[in-house]
Amino acid sequence: MDVDNTIGSTYNSSPSHTRGYGVINVDDNSNNAVKDLTDLPNDLFLLIISYLSPRDCVRCRCVSRAWFAAFTSPDTSRNLMRRHFPRSREMRLAAEEELGPTPDWAHIFIMVARRYHYLRAATPRLVEKVDVVQEAPGLKGAFKSVMPWVRWLRWNDNTALFQHRDPTWCFDDGLLVYQEAVSQRYVAYDLETRFRFEVPFDAADKTVRRLRLTSGVLVIEWCEREPYHQLNDSEMVHRHFATAFDVRRRLSSSTSSSELQFTRDITFRSEWKIHFLGLPLNNFDRFFSAHTSTHYALYLWQPHRSPWGEEDPLEQLTIWDISKPSSYRPSLDPTGANKPSSIPGSDLEGPTVINRFTWRELQVLGLRQRHTPAFREVLLDEANVYIHEEEHRWLSGLHSSLSPPRHHQVRCTGIPFSGVGPRWFDECCADGDVHMSFCPRAGSLSRILGNNRLAGSDGGWPGWAPCWRHEEFPYLTVSDVVDAAAGVRVVARRCFLMEALSSFVMPKISVQEERGGGLGDDEDEVSEVQFPDQMWWELLGKGKIVGDERWVVGEDGQGRVTIVRF
């Protein structure tokens, strides 16, 4: 039996992907044979090319006009996307109908195939540099970060940073916010469209302490450069504020019918005072914060200024409701004479304090840090605040614990905003001995035990202890990028070798990707590949990387923002 004629006798219509290119119609009475792959019926054609790699599918476009037409048809291109990149950002946007009525699937496939080619090889396709304002020595500058705890890792004669200073920029949802080095204005750089939008924040006579973009809200914490009053013989107090801006993504008015284009709107929401008296601009008073679209939390730690130096530090945790916009700016009203009425429901009410935990309440909750703070960060969800703490066996410094744990210990304590209700507590100290520790909830051991999902700093519920920090002994995870929807994680780790080798190991950055049906699929596999060694110095100058499957953003050793595009 003639196999070609048998196939042809089953399908009497022309394959849709080759119409207009001299298709040979094969019917029961025809002696013509199928001469080319593109002459096959559409479903059989799609079945065969599903075994090709994305790279081979792109190369097939160069064979002939008929092959180009077949491999660039919308039906074929979309099926290849579903086959090879079902979790890519473009497929998720298509499901939400954000790619327009007629997406160019042929173009989308080649762009996504290129992206994942570089991503899976841990090789940058393009490295972009952005000059930003840097923290200057001294107290009166454009940026003065909050000093981290005086703790570092020490093993024999080797030392390494345990916590880093905050960068002068922030990033979320493809938007990089920073202060331009030349113009001194704050801008938001959309990495997708490469457009820049001005942030309506007047930085004149202000010192920014921290900026953070999340949940569609940009919060800039800042203080006045000139002191407000005298604290003691040697210190002056500066009024500290937080300013919130709504950041919205919307369709551009110039959008064509075939492809949707988006722009960003950045508008002022509110401003509030984060400390009623103000704070000295020094390296001793510390505050750490977090926010969502509706709430803002700030943990304050101040050394007690007793002349004998025997008192414990002053500590306080304050929760604000920042959901209501207000045009009132307390920075322009030092006396508070124009403060709007605080009647609930008022349009000008603005941010309000919903709870304040004093040092006594923090002590009852087991969160008082005293002189050896283990505090790492504060996180929020819709109704609770979570405090992450961290201790390490090899910590040294003024704020290191006098009784270090046996391993690297992490814990999380969660409490309702109201302070009324049960307390959540989660702790992990891994397993092993003083030299070897393996966490059953993250890293290689977790995958051996069947927990093969990607985990990371922002890959799950904030109530879990940050086990991602000690997931791969002897490495300590410095920072990571988690794109859970895409199944991609970029992770940066550094370590000391064990005592037998007694030397410092070059830090490494690697890419992890889940292969298979999706999160929670038993057949998913996690593959990992390392970046070139020099990428550490291009991205980890401030110990922080951010991004998603499209790019990774960090800071190099010279203070420039590095954007690695895939």
Side-chain angles (χ1 to χ4, degrees), residues 397-524:
L398 178 65
H399 293 140
S400 60
S401 174
L402 300 177
S403 55
R406 189 180 183 188
H407 313 297
H408 178 229
Q409 184 178 43
V410 292
R411 57 182 173 268
C412 172
T413 304
I415 50 177
F417 291 155
S418 63
V420 178
R423 181 189 68 157
W424 167 264
F425 186 77
D426 182 51
E427 183 178 27
C428 179
C429 198
D431 193 11
D433 56 30
V434 69
H435 297 296
M436 299 286 288
S437 63
F438 299 96
C439 177
R441 303 197 302 190
S444 300
L445 181 58
S446 68
R447 293 193 286 272
I448 294 173
L449 297 177
N451 178 22
N452 60 352
R453 297 185 181 187
L454 290 180
S457 58
D458 60 352
W461 179 51
W464 296 122
C467 295
W468 60 274
R469 286 278 283 171
H470 59 211
E471 60 187 352
E472 296 288 352
F473 182 86
Y475 284 91
L476 180 70
T477 303
V478 176
S479 183
D480 65 353
V481 173
V482 179
D483 191 338
V488 173
R489 183 184 181 211
V490 180
V491 57
R493 305 187 185 103
R494 72 186 318 162
C495 80
F496 297 105
L497 276 184
M498 291 175 284
E499 189 176 15
L501 298 178
S502 187
S503 64
F504 188 77
V505 175
M506 175 70 71
K508 69 175 182 179
I509 312 177
S510 61
V511 175
Q512 295 178 344
E513 181 189 4
E514 286 183 346
R515 307 287 183 89
L519 289 175
D521 192 326
D522 292 337
E523 296 182 358
D524 283 355

Side-chain angles (χ1 to χ4, degrees), residues 50-70:
S50 66
Y51 291 94
L52 297 177
S53 68
R55 183 184 182 92
D56 290 334
C57 290
V58 174
R59 285 176 167 177
C60 285
R61 299 183 181 191
C62 303
V63 173
S64 66
R65 289 184 178 183
W67 282 49
F68 179 84

Side-chain angles (χ1 to χ4, degrees), residues 281-413:
L281 201 58
N282 57 28
N283 292 327
F284 308 107
D285 295 74
R286 295 169 171 85
F287 63 90
F288 304 90
S289 61
H291 76 270
T292 63
S293 60
T294 57
H295 292 86
Y296 172 87
L298 182 137
Y299 168 77
L300 178 67
W301 187 95
Q302 292 182 279
H304 198 290
R305 288 170 168 82
S306 167
W308 297 277
E310 298 174 354
E311 300 289 340
D312 284 331
L314 302 177
E315 300 177 55
Q316 182 175 278
L317 175 63
T318 309
I319 314 294
W320 280 264
D321 181 344
I322 61 171
S323 61
K324 299 175 182 177
S326 174
S327 59
Y328 176 69
R329 297 177 184 254
S331 60
L332 303 179
D333 185 23
T335 63
N338 300 319
K339 185 176 181 179
S341 173
S342 298
I343 300 176
S346 171
D347 293 338
L348 297 178
E349 183 180 4
T352 55
V353 174
I354 59 176
N355 204 354
R356 183 174 281 115
F357 298 88
T358 65
W359 64 268
R360 291 183 180 87
E361 294 166 309
L362 293 177
Q363 181 171 336
V364 171
L365 293 168
L367 293 173
R368 187 126 188 242
Q369 304 295 310
R370 290 190 165 85
H371 291 288
T372 56
F375 181 98
R376 173 176 172 78
E377 61 184 345
V378 55
L379 297 174
L380 301 173
D381 63 14
E382 63 276 1
N384 306 281
V385 56
Y386 302 92
I387 302 298
H388 284 193
E389 298 173 283
E390 181 178 27
E391 292 279 6
H392 199 284
R393 177 71 183 183
W394 299 335
L395 278 180
S396 297
L398 178 65
H399 293 140
S400 60
S401 174
L402 300 177
S403 55
R406 189 180 183 188
H407 313 297
H408 178 229
Q409 184 178 43
V410 292
R411 57 182 173 268
C412 172
T413 304

Side-chain angles (χ1 to χ4, degrees), residues 14-15 17-25 33 35-36 38-39 65-66:
S14 304
H17 55 268
T18 59
R19 290 194 180 101
Y21 286 91
V23 178
I24 299 176
N25 292 318
K35 297 181 179 180
D36 199 350
T38 57
D39 295 334
R65 289 184 178 183

